[in-house]
């Protein structure tokens, strides 16, 4: 019983992170100029590397999403996703330590200024996805479990978007343009 | 109760919660859009450079696209000087708006693109973005005169050579706000808020 609960919540969590990466990757591809501006704001890449990274980052994000979606490759997808999330957390912490917060985080979804809260958020997501893909027999739960997990993941994504939009509205209230 | 009924109920509940979450999200987006509609939109003006209402310094510069561009000389047309750079993505996004303005306001307005630096990269940029129809000048002096610190930046000078509006423009609305400033005689959104605050004070006829 406990194992089944673990397996179901692990599947749902892994698929939720899959949804986040799919949304982030597709969002970046849909508006490459905006992502280029976001990356340039981070000031970590030379102009030549920027052009490559603008295309490479969404491709790697979509790859992570794809690997997480397929049960057989879920473990490697989880490791890749956790690596990306940790990398972003380090980048954000580094940028904040230089005192620059008024740049878009580029996390996908609503534009969001950098804040310290994004660092533990990313670390928590990375830890969550690592735990999820390391549940024994992860990815071997069968079609029904996958379908139920995906349904739950979509619901979580929707609530995540709701929370993000709430946050964006709060910022609009605090600082009218 | 059979498992079938239970499964159906769970599925139905999932659907209900999903629809509610989607509705909540749409509603929040609408609230966000309302906030953005209410907020005043305008080019962000900083203090440096020639003040609004002052005569602009006069520049006669060689255009990369041929001919000579004159900035600040009294004449028949007003000028919009748009400061940009080939490496600034927001500038690229504004180019269609700039082209529209040039076409629609041709009778009274001349649009001049301005930048600085070595001209090779700029010539490539002119070809890549088909900017041959605009005067395109390179002058560090021009940017320094207007204290351009961030791009894209625009300055609107009327036919008499007087600076009428200027500021950092990040989107089409902010660009258009420069023309509102010219029409209404209020130089910036900051000035507009000041005017509004004054009319709200008790005792004034608001």
């Amino acid at each position: 019983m406990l194992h089944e609960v673990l397996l179901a919540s692990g599947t749902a969590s892994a698929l939720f992170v899959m949804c986040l990466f799919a949304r982030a990757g597709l969002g970046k591809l849909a508006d490459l100029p905006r992502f280029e501006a976001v990356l340039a704001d981070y000031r970590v890449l030379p102009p030549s590397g920027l052009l490559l990274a603008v295309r490479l980052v969404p491709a790697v994000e979509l790859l992570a999403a794809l690997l997480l979606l397929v049960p057989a490759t879920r473990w490697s997808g989880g490791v890749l996703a956790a690596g990306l999330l940790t990398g972003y957390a380090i980048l954000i912490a580094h940028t904040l330590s230089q005192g620059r917060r008024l740049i878009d985080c580029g996390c996908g979804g609503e534009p969001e200024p950098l804040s310290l809260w994004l660092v533990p958020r990313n670390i928590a997501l990375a830890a969550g996805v690592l735990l999820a893909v390391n549940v024994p027999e992860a990815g071997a739960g069968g079609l029904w479990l996958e379908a139920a997990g995906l349904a739950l993941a979509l619901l979580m994504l929707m609530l995540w978007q709701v929370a993000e939009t709430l946050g964006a509205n709060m910022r609009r209230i605090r600082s009218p343009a | 109760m059979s498992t079938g009924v239970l499964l159906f109920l769970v599925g139905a509940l999932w659907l209900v919660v999903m629809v509610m979450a989607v509705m909540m999200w749409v509603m929040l987006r609408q609230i966000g859009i309302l906030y953005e509609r209410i907020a005043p939109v305008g080019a962000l003006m900083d203090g440096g450079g020639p003040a609004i209402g002052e005569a602009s310094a006069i520049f006669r510069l060689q255009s990369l696209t041929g001919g000579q561009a004159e900035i600040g000389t009294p004449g028949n047309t007003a000028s919009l000087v748009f400061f940009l750079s080939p490496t600034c993505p927001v500038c690229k996004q504004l180019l269609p708006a700039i082209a529209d303005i040039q076409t629609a306001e041709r009778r009274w307005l001349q649009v001049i693109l301005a930048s600085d630096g070595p001209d090779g990269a700029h010539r490539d940029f002119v070809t890549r973005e088909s900017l041959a129809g605009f005067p395109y000048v390179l002058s560090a002096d021009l940017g320094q005169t207007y204290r351009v610190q961030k791009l894209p930046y625009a300055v609107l000078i009327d036919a008499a050579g007087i600076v009428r509006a200027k500021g950092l423009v990040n989107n089409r609305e902010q660009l258009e706000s420069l023309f509102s400033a010219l029409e209404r005689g209020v130089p910036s959104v900051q000035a507009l808020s000041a005017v509004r605050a004054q009319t709200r004070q008790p005792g004034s006829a608001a």
Side-chain angles (χ1 to χ4, degrees), chain B residues 131-165:
Chain B
L131 301 176
F134 295 94
Y136 193 118
V137 299
L138 295 181
S139 159
D141 209 18
L142 181 64
Q144 273 159 15
T145 304
Y146 283 101
R147 302 281 164 83
V148 178
Q149 288 165 345
K150 287 190 169 176
L151 295 174
Y153 194 92
V155 180
L156 187 59
I157 302 164
D158 72 6
I162 310 291
V163 178
R164 287 300 174 190

Side-chain angles (χ1 to χ4, degrees), chain B residues 98-112:
Chain B
I98 290 286
D100 284 353
I101 289 173
Q102 196 201 28
T103 317
E105 316 292 343
R106 188 177 289 277
R107 277 181 301 109
W108 64 278
L109 181 79
Q110 183 195 18
V111 179
I112 299 163

Side-chain angles (χ1 to χ4, degrees), chain A residues 52-141:
Chain A
L52 182 70
V54 163
R55 279 155 188 83
L56 198 65
V57 171
V60 175
E61 287 183 342
L62 288 177
L63 176 69
L66 193 70
L67 290 174
L68 277 169
L69 178 65
V70 179
T73 56
R74 186 157 295 155
W75 188 82
S76 37
V79 172
L80 178 59
L84 282 172
L85 284 164
T86 314
Y88 294 159
I90 292 172
L91 182 59
I92 290 170
H94 168 74
T95 311
L96 281 175
S97 72
Q98 294 180 335
R100 292 187 290 126
R101 21 187 91 236
L102 281 177
I103 70 175
D104 184 8
C105 98
C107 305
E110 291 270 349
E112 189 174 352
L114 289 191
S115 63
L116 207 54
W117 130 255
L118 291 170
V119 177
R121 185 198 78 172
N122 273 15
I123 300 289
L125 278 173
V129 73
L130 276 185
L131 282 177
V133 297
N134 280 306
V135 171
E137 293 172 54

Side-chain angles (χ1 to χ4, degrees), chain B residues 68-81:
Chain B
Q68 209 180 40
E70 296 198 357
I71 297 170
T73 41
N76 298 325
T77 54
S79 350
L80 177 73
V81 186

Side-chain angles (χ1 to χ4, degrees), chain A residues 31 33 37 110 151 154-155 158-159 161-162 165-166 169 172-173 177, chain B residues 14 17-18 21-22 24-25 28-29 31-32 35-36 39-40 89 93:
Chain A
D31 196 351
E110 291 270 349
L154 286 175
L155 203 57
M158 209 54 235
L159 291 176
Q161 298 219 128
V162 165
T165 316
L166 264 175
N169 282 353
R172 287 186 181 112
I173 292 172
Chain B
W14 177 85
V17 179
M18 190 64 171
V22 170
M24 207 152 94
W25 180 61
L28 284 171
R29 296 268 303 179
I31 292 176
Y35 274 120
E36 299 210 327
Q93 282 181 319

